[in-house]
Amino acid sequence: MLANPFKLKKLGILGMNKRNIHYIGAQNDRKFYPLVDNKLKTKVVAQNAGIAVPKLLATIERQSQLRNLKNILAGLDKFVLKPAQGSGGKGILVIMQREGDEFIKPNGQRLQLRDIQRDISNILSGLYSLGGKPDVAMIEQLVEFDPIFDRYSYEGVPDIRVIVYKGYPAMAMLRCSTSESDGKANLHQGAVGVGIDMASGKSLFSVQHGSPITHHPDTGYDFSGLKIPYWEKILTLAASCYEVTHLGYLGADIVLDKNLGPLILELNARPGLAIQIANKAGAIHRYDMIDKQKGHLDVQERVKFSMKNFGTSEPNNK
Ligand SMILES: Nc1ncnc2c1ncn2[C@@H]1O[C@H](COP(=O)(O)OP(=O)(O)O)[C@@H](O)[C@H]1O
Ligand SMILES: [Mg+2]
């Protein structure tokens, strides 16, 4: 599918250069980047706008605080440690459980306090941040995913990536973690991307490492039976990030917490292009249709437009 440039053009596949110039460059004012490039800032702004996010439990800003880590983590049995300015799942540690002084990862691996201190030290020194700048470590509430995803995600929370162009949800994909991705739903870590029909929330196609697959590599379940609940609510949440960030081209990552419902996990000013492979569809036709829209529509009207116009007539499942 991605071989022949003429075919690519016909399919309306967006490539790296055009994305960088016509979409990221033209739509995203650089002055708004710091807001989405820093997960702490995103959280504050989203909360102020009434958008639900996973709770922040603690932040660690200085190496000297590491001596006090035992107290900082007192009473926290499940949590996620992450670099505020990280990306692609790098430097993220998911802790599911605690037994005495040991912290247990989704794959059962046990960590000591000193292992966590070392991870935080790496985060603070900028090992995972853009440009190697010193960073802050965040400790976040562990999202407990909706049981609907039990069969489709292995040892980790799946997230729903929605590309929002000029405030319109344009394309979506569910990303499911695998044993390889170690509790994280990032494609580069080995997660599976499942294209999602914009009208219904049903699955379309699935890819891992850029190649088509039909079943989850660990759970063995067929992705074709999948339908995401609260679909319209998820699209509405994604579309509302436009007003909050002022970014005309963004990727919103949403997780479905079994108790709290849809939450915004993070926002990206430079979303990847693989979502088109999982949808077996190019994004350009959709962006062109959005460009032709006139007048100011509110969030709800934009979501209705996208559900009506970007649905696939025959999603993969019944
Ligand atoms: N609070 C959380 N609870 C459970 N899983 C999480 C949490 N935060 C992140 N994850 C897992 O890690 C992945 C990457 O996290 P994210 O915050 O999107 O950082 P990145 O910018 O590195 O992608 C998520 O897709 C999810 O699978
Ligand atoms: Mg992410």
Side-chain angles (χ1 to χ4, degrees), residues 160-263:
I160 301 153
R161 159 65 58 90
V162 182
I163 303 286
V164 180
Y165 179 57
K166 294 185 175 174
Y168 290 77
M171 198 170 261
M173 138 176 94
L174 176 72
R175 298 182 298 187
C176 300
S177 53
T178 60
S179 60
E180 188 185 335
S181 73
D182 192 21
K184 291 164 281 190
N186 302 84
L187 297 189
H188 283 107
Q189 306 272 346
V192 176
V194 185
I196 302 291
D197 174 48
M198 291 298 283
S200 63
K202 289 181 180 176
S203 58
L204 295 167
F205 310 99
S206 314
V207 290
Q208 187 187 28
H209 294 301
S211 303
I213 58 167
T214 55
H215 294 69
H216 192 288
D218 307 297
T219 70
Y221 275 97
D222 184 346
F223 284 112
S224 71
L226 183 66
K227 182 178 190 299
I228 299 179
Y230 312 109
W231 185 239
E232 189 166 346
K233 195 169 170 191
I234 288 170
L235 294 181
T236 306
L237 188 61
S240 66
C241 293
Y242 174 56
E243 273 80 6
V244 175
T245 60
H246 311 285
L247 296 173
Y249 181 70
L250 74 103
D253 290 355
I254 295 171
V255 285
L256 213 47
D257 186 279
K258 72 174 176 200
N259 302 309
L260 306 170
L263 307 175

Side-chain angles (χ1 to χ4, degrees), residues 39 43 54-55 79-80 82-83 85-92 94 140-144 156-159 161 175 177 182-186 189 253 255 265-268:
K39 294 181 171 67
K43 224 184 244 305
K55 200 166 146 197
F79 58 86
V80 174
K82 63 173 83 168
Q85 301 179 71
S87 64
K90 293 188 287 274
I92 297 185
V94 179
E140 199 175 71
Q141 168 193 19
L142 177 78
V143 172
E144 300 198 42
V157 179
D159 70 8
R161 159 65 58 90
R175 298 182 298 187
S177 53
D182 192 21
K184 291 164 281 190
N186 302 84
Q189 306 272 346
D253 290 355
V255 285
L265 190 57
E266 65 147 343
L267 300 172
N268 292 279

Side-chain angles (χ1 to χ4, degrees), residues 14-312:
L14 180 60
M16 187 78 82
N17 284 334
K18 186 160 179 175
R19 177 198 66 167
N20 292 349
I21 296 165
H22 288 265
Y23 296 95
I24 298 177
Q27 294 297 326
N28 294 349
D29 191 329
R30 291 186 74 91
K31 73 169 182 267
F32 298 121
Y33 281 10
L35 177 77
V36 292
D37 285 347
N38 185 320
K39 294 181 171 67
L40 280 171
K41 290 188 182 161
T42 313
K43 224 184 244 305
V44 174
V45 174
Q47 265 168 334
N48 290 343
I51 290 177
V53 294
K55 200 166 146 197
L56 182 66
L57 302 174
T59 56
I60 298 163
E61 283 142 38
R62 293 180 306 278
Q63 299 278 359
S64 61
Q65 286 172 277
L66 290 177
R67 271 180 272 136
N68 192 29
L69 187 63
K70 197 171 171 153
N71 292 333
I72 296 173
L73 296 180
L76 300 182
D77 289 347
K78 5 180 178 182
F79 58 86
V80 174
L81 169 70
K82 63 173 83 168
Q85 301 179 71
S87 64
K90 293 188 287 274
I92 297 185
L93 185 61
V94 179
I95 298 296
M96 301 281 289
Q97 207 186 323
R98 184 165 175 172
E99 271 175 25
D101 285 341
E102 291 187 322
F103 299 85
I104 307 175
K105 296 213 306 171
N107 64 8
Q109 196 189 335
R110 288 165 181 264
L111 301 179
Q112 309 297 320
L113 191 67
R114 63 174 177 279
D115 299 320
I116 299 192
Q117 277 167 329
R118 191 194 48 234
D119 282 352
I120 295 176
S121 178
N122 285 338
I123 291 175
L124 297 180
S125 68
L127 189 65
Y128 309 110
S129 69
L130 220 68
K133 285 185 304 237
D135 201 358
V136 171
M138 306 166 55
I139 297 180
E140 199 175 71
Q141 168 193 19
L142 177 78
V143 172
E144 300 198 42
F145 65 83
D146 193 294
I148 179 99
F149 296 126
D150 273 349
R151 300 166 168 185
Y152 304 110
S153 203
Y154 186 76
E155 297 178 343
V157 179
D159 70 8
I160 301 153
R161 159 65 58 90
V162 182
I163 303 286
V164 180
Y165 179 57
K166 294 185 175 174
Y168 290 77
M171 198 170 261
M173 138 176 94
L174 176 72
R175 298 182 298 187
C176 300
S177 53
T178 60
S179 60
E180 188 185 335
S181 73
D182 192 21
K184 291 164 281 190
N186 302 84
L187 297 189
H188 283 107
Q189 306 272 346
V192 176
V194 185
I196 302 291
D197 174 48
M198 291 298 283
S200 63
K202 289 181 180 176
S203 58
L204 295 167
F205 310 99
S206 314
V207 290
Q208 187 187 28
H209 294 301
S211 303
I213 58 167
T214 55
H215 294 69
H216 192 288
D218 307 297
T219 70
Y221 275 97
D222 184 346
F223 284 112
S224 71
L226 183 66
K227 182 178 190 299
I228 299 179
Y230 312 109
W231 185 239
E232 189 166 346
K233 195 169 170 191
I234 288 170
L235 294 181
T236 306
L237 188 61
S240 66
C241 293
Y242 174 56
E243 273 80 6
V244 175
T245 60
H246 311 285
L247 296 173
Y249 181 70
L250 74 103
D253 290 355
I254 295 171
V255 285
L256 213 47
D257 186 279
K258 72 174 176 200
N259 302 309
L260 306 170
L263 307 175
I264 290 285
L265 190 57
E266 65 147 343
L267 300 172
N268 292 279
R270 311 165 197 81
L273 299 162
I275 190 168
Q276 300 173 105
I277 307 177
N279 278 276
K280 280 200 200 161
I284 293 177
H285 298 316
R286 298 185 188 186
Y287 299 160
D288 287 349
M289 277 178 76
I290 294 169
D291 281 334
K292 290 198 185 91
Q293 283 285 95
K294 296 211 168 57
H296 177 80
L297 300 191
D298 68 19
V299 175
Q300 218 53 56
E301 291 165 327
R302 301 196 304 259
V303 169
K304 292 261 182 290
F305 173 90
S306 297
M307 291 179 79
K308 178 160 172 266
N309 290 288
F310 303 147
T312 310

